[in-house]
Each structure stands twice: as structure tokens, then as C-alpha cells.
Amino acid sequence: MKTKYVILTLLSCFLTVITTLVFHGGILSDSPLYLHLAHQYSEFNFLDPVSNYYGRHFYAVFLAIIGTVISYNYIVIGIMQTLLFCLSSFILVKELEKYLNKNLLGLLLLLFLVPEIHFYNGSVFTESLGYSLIILVFAFALKIHNGKSSVWNILVLSSLIGFTILNRMECGVCIIPAFYLIFPQIKDKLIVRGLVFISIPIFLLLLN
């Protein structure tokens, strides 16, 4: 089982690097602005009005962490985004297999062969992180739906939704299907667990 994950991860990283080198080189459109903002954040400069007006602060923080710890090289960023995508996909498919009670290796292979995924994983775009965050949101919503409705799991889901919204505001629509998935497991303690569910997105939006 672990061999399967390693092979798929290596394949995904390889396809991301090849796609990046052949088609676009990682830096496109708004990429320089995200990198400039990330450099500022890594130097604890959070108040520059010229670059801050554009938003996308969460993705800039994500890039700043990668750049500070490893490198701002677009290939390195692409590989880190691909690894996050792989981890997210493995968790989602694992929960889907529990929900459907069947092996979904074919679905995993199809997911890893979608060309657009590798294009965005290798790009310095908010969409690159957005894919993985949305996948994680539904992975944890399914985890709760499958019976693991602890306050900790709901808090993790709440945090993931908050990060997803900060990354791209329009992705906030995922809160509706996520709530639909977890509702059967939290309805007996709806007020308390519902408040936990919405707490982190509201808190992060207020900070933003």
C-alpha cells in the first residue's frame, strides 16, 4: 500500500516538473506579485500598502514559508505544491473508499493524470494551493461523515475552510456541501459543533 503512494507521488512530481519546464516555466501573470509579497512577509514587512492592496495574503504566507525554509525557486515551489496535492488526494480517496466500501485505485490514477492539475501545481498561482485545500476540506468532511465527528476533526475542518477562503474568497462556497456532509454526525450537538465549524473561518476573515 505504501509503495503505491510513493510511486504515485513520484509520478505526480515528475509530471509537474515536465509540464512546468515544457509549457510555462512556473512564473506567469500574477506570479511575480505573489513572490514579491512573500519576500516582504519573510522579512516581517506586512504593512506595505502598494503590494498589500492586491490581497491573496494567505498564498503569499504559504510561499514565504517555502521560500524561507527551502527556496523561492519555482521548481521547488511546484514540487511542494505537488506533495501537498498528493497528500490531500490520498486522504480524500481513503475516506471515499471507506464511504463506498470499495477500492478506488482507478479513481486515484485518473486524478493524478489530469493535465490541468500538473499545470497549476507547477505554477505560482493561488489555484495551485486552492486545489489541495478544497480536496482536504472534502476529505475531512467525509472523515467526519464516516463517523469520526470529534471536536478536533471539526476544528481541523473549520481551519481548512478558513484557509481555503483566505486563499481565494470565492472558494467559500465549499462550506455548504461540507456542512451537508457532516450534518448527520453533528445534529445531536448542532449548536456547539456548528459554532466550532464556523468559528475559524469567521476569526480568520476578521483578522484579514
Side-chain angles (χ1 to χ4, degrees):
M1 292 297 288
K2 291 181 180 179
T3 303
K4 171 182 70 176
Y5 295 140
V6 171
I7 292 172
L8 285 172
T9 300
L10 291 174
L11 172 64
S12 189
C13 288
F14 173 76
L15 290 174
T16 294
V17 171
I18 293 300
T19 302
T20 302
L21 293 175
V22 171
F23 291 105
H24 58 77
I27 308 300
L28 294 168
S29 183
D30 297 328
S31 303
L33 180 58
Y34 299 144
L35 289 169
H36 175 68
L37 201 55
H39 278 288
Q40 288 186 318
Y41 287 176
S42 66
E43 296 168 356
F44 299 97
N45 178 9
F46 301 101
L47 302 176
D48 184 347
V50 176
S51 51
N52 271 315
Y53 84 95
Y54 189 73
R56 313 303 191 202
H57 308 299
F58 183 77
Y59 186 57
V61 170
F62 173 76
L63 292 176
I65 293 171
I66 294 175
T68 302
V69 175
I70 308 176
S71 170
Y72 281 106
N73 180 278
Y74 67 89
I75 294 294
V76 173
I77 293 171
I79 289 173
M80 295 306 295
Q81 291 178 158
T82 301
L83 291 175
L84 181 58
F85 166 77
C86 292
L87 177 64
S88 305
S89 301
F90 294 149
I91 296 172
L92 175 63
V93 172
K94 181 181 177 182
E95 293 304 324
L96 278 171
E97 286 178 336
K98 290 178 182 177
Y99 177 68
L100 298 172
N101 195 27
K102 62 172 62 175
N103 187 296
L104 295 176
L105 178 59
L107 175 63
L108 201 55
L109 285 171
L110 286 174
L111 186 60
F112 275 62
L113 293 175
V114 175
E116 287 81 3
I117 294 291
H118 303 294
F119 176 88
Y120 281 110
N121 279 341
S123 306
V124 184
F125 282 157
T126 54
E127 290 88 345
S128 315
L129 180 59
Y131 275 134
S132 298
L133 286 173
I134 290 172
I135 290 171
L136 274 175
V137 164
F138 287 106
F140 269 85
L142 264 175
K143 190 181 189 73
I144 294 168
H145 182 85
N146 287 337
K148 296 184 178 179
S149 57
S150 66
V151 172
W152 169 251
N153 281 335
I154 296 171
L155 193 61
V156 171
L157 176 60
S158 178
S159 300
L160 289 169
I161 291 172
F163 296 154
T164 303
I165 294 171
L166 285 184
N167 185 60
R168 290 191 70 88
M169 187 67 69
E170 62 270 27
C171 292
V173 297
C174 71
I175 197 170
I176 300 172
F179 182 76
Y180 176 80
L181 280 171
I182 71 170
F183 179 75
Q185 296 296 335
I186 69 168
K187 61 183 179 181
D188 293 336
K189 299 179 180 178
L190 185 59
I191 294 177
V192 173
R193 300 201 172 187
L195 286 173
V196 173
F197 176 70
I198 64 171
S199 61
I200 303 298
I202 292 174
F203 176 71
L204 291 177
L205 284 173
L206 289 173
L207 282 182
N208 192 48

